[in-house]
Amino acid sequence: MLETQLADYHSRQKHEEEILRWLKNHKNSLPTPLYLYSEAVLHEAVASYRALFPDNARGFYALKANPQPALVSQFAQQGIGGEITGQAEWEHCRAAGLKPENILAGGVVKSQSFLEMLCQAGPAAIVIESEAEWERLKQVKAHAQQTRILLRINPGVSFGGLNMAGGSQFGLSRDQALAIAQECQANPRLEMLGLHFYFGSQRLEVDPIIQAVEVVEETIQTFRAAGVAIQVVDLGLGCGVPYLARDKALDEAALREQLHAHWQNPVWDDVDIWFEAGRALVARSGYYLARVIDRKQLHGETFIFLDGGLNVHNPGVGLGGFLRRNPRFHFMTNQVLGREETINLVGNLCTTADTVGTNVTAPVLCEDDLVIIPNAGAYCQTTAMWGFNSQPLFHEGLLACDGRFTPFSPQFEYVLK
Ligand SMILES: Cc1ncc(COP(=O)(O)O)c(C=O)c1O
């Protein structure tokens, strides 16, 4: 297993070295602040995430991690559908060329009009989050075909990390879900396909993920014992990404081995596994690039100002959790001064919170030099403070496997429309 872990690590290192080499050659022609996505890393992330599941598992990309339609279309080319949280993400999927049957409709609260649109369009399934949502769905009269549903279960226990199970507002209790499943059996317009589980995000340890799978297995048995057939189980494992310099990457080789031992459990016979994932698919492909626009010495400290900080880049670990914690950095300088110094990297907003890195050891940085943050493809863009000080927002583009760079229409244009 250690060998597989090392092989994963070396292949990722190799990708990173190639991307940095390319950046070195193109650093002065790239617009900044920029999110650069590597096609090679996207492909590799899809392959390694798929390998966690049986071969016939069906995958959905959670657009909340990064709704950029050009990325959604990259995933579609890899056979991965879209998991959406509302009308706008639905539009992003459609703009990316996804057919309704490859879109899974999640989202915390679905309005009557959104449910009506979905029932006309025929998504892969609608995930029911609450009893009230179920009541709204029952009121929809026009269905293009039988509408398939999944019931999101909140088992009432939590497993650490960014918890979204026990104690959270998401999903249904097992009893609520059982009552809905039984009622659904008598409704000819609706088909209860199965269950949906998402326990939390940014998991960097194997154990909580496996504990969650064990709870899923118990829940499937409970439903079967109550006479409810389960054809599909949708799992969001919430695999994490090492954003911060001190984070240790999830041991995917160990996770793969333990998950495959679980798939042998007879409870999974006759169940189609669907998976939904955001950051595990997109985070590593993204590199955030900002340019140095100023430097200042003040009371014994060196501040390096970048053309984009918190307004365009949040390390994606959740507000409150990121302030003054350093991500991993790469630096590209135009002049080699041969010295290092300790600096604070800051953005251009009128708040001390706009600190990208504190007490960072870096080569002497001058105007136009580049600061690069890897693992920046997920949540970093969408959870940034776009409106603050009306500073310019970010560029985005793909570095294709053949070394060509293609700019994207920035994702905020879709939001501002
Ligand atoms: C229901 C649901 N599915 C999928 C995701 C994507 O999670 P991740 O990016 O951790 O894979 C989330 C994240 O909040 C979620 O709430």
Side-chain angles (χ1 to χ4, degrees), residues 49 60-65 83 85 106-108 127 129 152 162 164 170 196-203 234-240 243 276-282 378-379:
Y49 202 75
F60 295 88
Y61 167 61
L63 268 78
K64 57 182 78 63
E83 189 264 330
T85 55
V108 181
V127 181
E129 281 270 348
R152 179 170 178 180
L162 282 180
M164 295 172 87
F170 305 113
H196 172 284
F197 297 88
Y198 185 82
F199 292 89
S201 194
Q202 188 50 10
R203 298 256 166 72
D234 179 286
L235 290 170
L237 300 180
C239 294
Y243 291 104
E276 62 183 58
R279 67 179 101 222
L281 295 178
V282 76
Y379 300 105

Side-chain angles (χ1 to χ4, degrees), residues 282-315:
V282 76
R284 277 190 291 110
S285 83
Y287 283 73
Y288 173 65
L289 274 69
R291 227 173 264 287
V292 175
I293 50 172
D294 209 348
R295 53 177 293 142
K296 178 194 273 191
Q297 304 289 338
L298 187 65
H299 302 307
E301 306 244 18
T302 303
F303 291 92
I304 301 291
F305 291 79
L306 303 177
D307 59 1
L310 202 50
N311 61 320
V312 287
H313 180 267
N314 169 4

Side-chain angles (χ1 to χ4, degrees), residues 24 27 331-340 363-366 369:
K24 207 168 187 164
K27 66 178 186 316
F331 301 100
M332 279 188 190
T333 55
N334 288 306
Q335 298 171 48
V336 182
L337 297 175
R339 284 186 287 123
E340 287 193 326
V364 173
L365 293 172
C366 305
D369 288 344

Side-chain angles (χ1 to χ4, degrees), residues 136-325:
R136 284 198 291 278
L137 182 64
K138 282 191 297 179
Q139 281 165 32
V140 177
K141 297 283 176 305
H143 294 253
Q145 58 197 39
Q146 219 184 15
T147 296
R148 296 167 292 247
I149 63 166
L150 296 175
L151 302 176
R152 179 170 178 180
I153 307 293
N154 180 334
V157 281
S158 55
F159 301 93
L162 282 180
N163 172 53
M164 295 172 87
S168 79
Q169 67 270 47
F170 305 113
L172 297 152
S173 71
R174 280 184 190 156
D175 289 347
Q176 290 170 335
L178 259 178
I180 294 176
Q182 275 151 352
E183 206 187 329
C184 191
Q185 285 170 346
N187 190 324
R189 293 190 199 127
L190 303 171
E191 182 188 12
M192 210 294 278
L193 271 193
L195 305 176
H196 172 284
F197 297 88
Y198 185 82
F199 292 89
S201 194
Q202 188 50 10
R203 298 256 166 72
L204 290 173
E205 300 287 337
V206 171
D207 284 356
I209 299 176
I210 296 298
Q211 283 160 18
V213 171
E214 284 161 3
V215 170
V216 172
E217 291 171 341
E218 276 166 39
T219 311
I220 299 172
Q221 277 162 331
T222 309
F223 274 69
R224 286 201 177 131
V228 177
I230 304 294
Q231 298 173 52
V232 170
V233 169
D234 179 286
L235 290 170
L237 300 180
C239 294
V241 168
Y243 291 104
L244 305 177
R246 59 165 201 210
D247 284 342
K248 202 165 158 276
L250 175 67
D251 181 347
E252 273 179 47
L255 179 63
R256 200 155 49 225
E257 189 175 295
Q258 293 193 40
L259 283 175
H260 279 279
H262 272 274
W263 309 141
Q264 303 308 313
N265 182 338
V267 90
W268 294 102
D269 292 353
D270 305 322
V271 170
D272 289 330
I273 298 180
W274 294 3
F275 62 80
E276 62 183 58
R279 67 179 101 222
L281 295 178
V282 76
R284 277 190 291 110
S285 83
Y287 283 73
Y288 173 65
L289 274 69
R291 227 173 264 287
V292 175
I293 50 172
D294 209 348
R295 53 177 293 142
K296 178 194 273 191
Q297 304 289 338
L298 187 65
H299 302 307
E301 306 244 18
T302 303
F303 291 92
I304 301 291
F305 291 79
L306 303 177
D307 59 1
L310 202 50
N311 61 320
V312 287
H313 180 267
N314 169 4
V317 283
L319 280 170
F322 69 93
L323 298 174
R324 300 189 189 286
R325 294 186 192 175

